Amino acid sequence: MTKQPKHKMLKAYIIEHIEDGSYPSQEAIPSENALCRQFNTSRVTVRKAIDALVMENYLYRLQGVGTFVQDKSLRLQQDTPNRIDIIFHDNNFLFSEFNSNIIQGAEKILQQSGLTLATYYAMNQVNNQYDKIQNAINEGAKGIILCGCLEDERETMLKAFTNAPIPIVCIDRYFESLPFDAVIGRDYEAGYEAGQIFAQKGYQHIGYYYPYAIESSVSKGRVEGLIAALKNHQIQIIEPCLIRHTKSTKHHMYDYHQISKDIQHYLQRHQDLDAVLTFNDITALLFYKEASRLDIRIPLDLALISFGDFYIDAIFEVGLTSFNQHPYKMGEEAAKIIINRLINPSNQTRKVIRIDYDLIKRNSCG
């Protein structure tokens, strides 16, 4: 018979002592140090057992005081599943690789704490997104991971959830004025790195292209990093080439036929462009298509760097240079934040995790 891991043995021991009354309701259990000595084990092992029991409502913590046995009547009230809801703004198949990696990373961490993950899509409808947030709260979900929110920070209805009874963690978006925890990439640093590469290759007419109506924190960081690199290399900043948002409506946010037309007009207006940093690989793919129609050769006439490192990169005749954003890691970190919030709800310090990107160099940037 396989021997149980030590933290599971300790967990079973504590449950047994709760059930038989050795550890009475509302009384403190032995300290972590005392349990370490008793079981001849590390604090990591003891904490893992206690964290699991806090999640299952057998125990609760009072910061700076100790860990206590939850009253049986309160413990038995916990009949809702240990569910975390992950809500994506869009389920477009072109984003499926990015989204599925976030899901896999989050599931890995949540399962270790006995939590399940339920996935929902808002179908690019803002009202749907907020309905799903409210449903998660009403249905007793333990927390929410919110992936993407294409709204202006000053107008977003997320403000209505700043005092939500469950933790909300944003992925790939950051709201400066809102208190939500977030897992984001180092977008400024990536934009700067792209600008450095363009400058070192001698490009002088450099653009940035963001295809959507609302400029996000992600896009803002990238274009500001690009501008900083160009300034450091004394390259002229050509503002009309830096497309921070388009006139597309929210309803047509992912209308790729319209985005293609916009890119075609962009290329026609700026025929002296040497290089463009595009918001994501999907946008880069549309640049490939429209550049080909205009007899613009990539990278001979126009260099491209993008974000995502998606599977669609295999479609490109010239390999696309693209930043891998590590969505799996984003999912892991978001799940860790949720778990820590559930274990230590009194900790009000905002948590913002920034993930390093890796540039996968191929031929599209020359």
Side-chain angles (χ1 to χ4, degrees):
M1 187 174 177
T2 305
K3 187 177 180 181
Q4 272 195 322
K6 220 164 191 179
H7 73 275
K8 289 189 176 181
M9 294 172 62
L10 176 55
K11 178 184 171 185
Y13 171 87
I14 295 172
I15 290 175
E16 181 182 342
H17 280 62
I18 291 173
E19 299 290 358
D20 69 14
S22 300
Y23 294 163
S25 292
Q26 307 300 328
E27 295 292 325
I29 66 169
S31 69
E32 291 182 5
N33 286 336
L35 290 170
C36 286
R37 291 192 297 270
Q38 182 178 347
F39 281 84
N40 190 28
T41 191
S42 68
R43 290 194 69 173
V44 172
T45 299
V46 171
R47 193 162 291 169
K48 195 170 184 178
I50 291 175
D51 286 350
L53 291 168
V54 169
M55 296 289 293
E56 294 175 22
N57 214 25
Y58 279 96
L59 303 174
Y60 65 93
R61 285 190 173 101
L62 291 178
Q63 197 164 4
V65 180
T67 303
F68 295 79
V69 177
Q70 182 64 277
D71 184 83
K72 189 174 183 179
S73 62
L74 295 176
R75 173 158 49 91
L76 293 178
Q77 288 176 12
Q78 185 171 334
D79 56 2
T80 55
N82 284 331
R83 187 186 95 201
I84 304 298
D85 285 5
I86 185 165
I87 303 170
F88 291 97
H89 186 269
D90 187 63
N91 70 335
N92 189 297
F93 80 96
L94 292 172
F95 289 114
S96 61
E97 183 180 4
F98 189 80
N99 292 351
S100 64
N101 275 292
I102 289 174
I103 291 169
Q104 290 173 42
E107 277 188 326
K108 172 193 167 186
I109 300 300
L110 294 174
Q111 287 174 354
Q112 293 172 1
S113 295
L115 294 163
T116 60
L117 187 67
T119 303
Y120 298 92
Y121 296 94
M123 307 300 290
N124 191 29
Q125 297 294 320
V126 172
N127 288 338
N128 283 351
Q129 190 170 47
Y130 297 117
D131 286 345
K132 293 185 186 304
I133 294 172
Q134 191 61 58
N135 288 344
I137 295 169
N138 294 343
E139 293 171 5
K142 303 303 180 189
I144 296 170
I145 299 173
L146 185 62
C147 300
C149 182
L150 286 177
E151 282 195 289
D152 187 284
E153 182 166 346
R154 294 165 296 181
E155 301 173 0
T156 178
M157 291 191 293
L158 272 180
K159 294 174 184 177
F161 297 100
T162 53
N163 294 315
I166 60 175
I168 298 175
V169 179
C170 295
I171 283 187
D172 204 33
R173 291 294 183 274
Y174 174 71
F175 295 97
E176 185 73 39
S177 63
L178 301 180
F180 302 112
D181 298 321
V183 180
I184 57 177
R186 295 191 180 276
D187 292 289
Y188 179 92
E189 291 82 354
Y192 190 92
E193 183 178 354
Q196 288 270 72
I197 291 171
F198 286 152
Q200 290 164 3
K201 289 182 178 293
Y203 301 127
Q204 291 295 312
H205 296 86
I206 298 170
Y208 172 82
Y209 197 88
Y210 177 78
Y212 308 127
I214 304 296
E215 183 181 26
S216 67
S217 61
V218 175
S219 179
K220 183 179 179 183
R222 293 172 187 177
V223 71
E224 289 180 353
L226 176 68
I227 289 171
L230 300 186
K231 286 181 177 179
N232 283 350
H233 286 270
Q234 299 181 332
I235 294 174
Q236 181 185 3
I237 309 300
I238 308 170
E239 283 292 341
C241 293
L242 303 175
I243 305 300
R244 302 166 187 262
H245 60 83
T246 65
K247 295 180 180 179
S248 63
T249 64
K250 289 182 182 180
H251 183 68
H252 296 100
M253 192 75 78
Y254 297 104
D255 183 341
Y256 294 113
H257 295 293
Q258 185 58 52
I259 294 173
S260 287
K261 290 180 182 178
D262 292 343
I263 289 171
Q264 183 184 87
H265 295 154
Y266 174 79
L267 291 172
Q268 289 171 334
R269 288 195 307 270
H270 305 292
Q271 296 184 20
D272 55 353
L273 271 174
D274 297 323
V276 177
L277 177 62
T278 68
F279 178 67
N280 56 29
D281 290 358
I282 300 165
T283 313
L285 178 61
L286 299 179
F287 262 87
Y288 261 85
K289 183 181 76 169
E290 295 306 325
S292 177
R293 289 179 176 179
L294 297 170
D295 293 324
I296 298 171
R297 299 165 299 171
I298 294 174
L300 298 177
D301 302 319
L302 181 69
L304 292 178
I305 296 178
S306 185
F307 290 82
D309 193 33
F310 296 160
Y311 69 91
I312 62 172
D313 294 345
I315 298 171
F316 292 71
E317 291 183 16
V318 177
L320 178 62
T321 295
S322 182
F323 286 95
N324 187 320
Q325 297 172 249
H326 299 295
Y328 187 92
K329 181 70 172 174
M330 288 184 173
E332 285 186 316
E333 294 300 329
K336 289 176 184 177
I337 291 174
I338 290 278
I339 290 168
N340 285 332
R341 288 288 179 217
L342 294 175
I343 292 170
N344 299 300
S346 61
N347 182 0
Q348 299 298 312
T349 305
R350 185 184 192 185
K351 189 83 170 177
V352 179
I353 303 292
R354 289 178 168 82
I355 305 295
D356 290 326
Y357 296 160
D358 288 325
L359 184 62
I360 311 302
K361 295 182 180 179
R362 301 185 180 95
N363 296 325
S364 68
C365 64

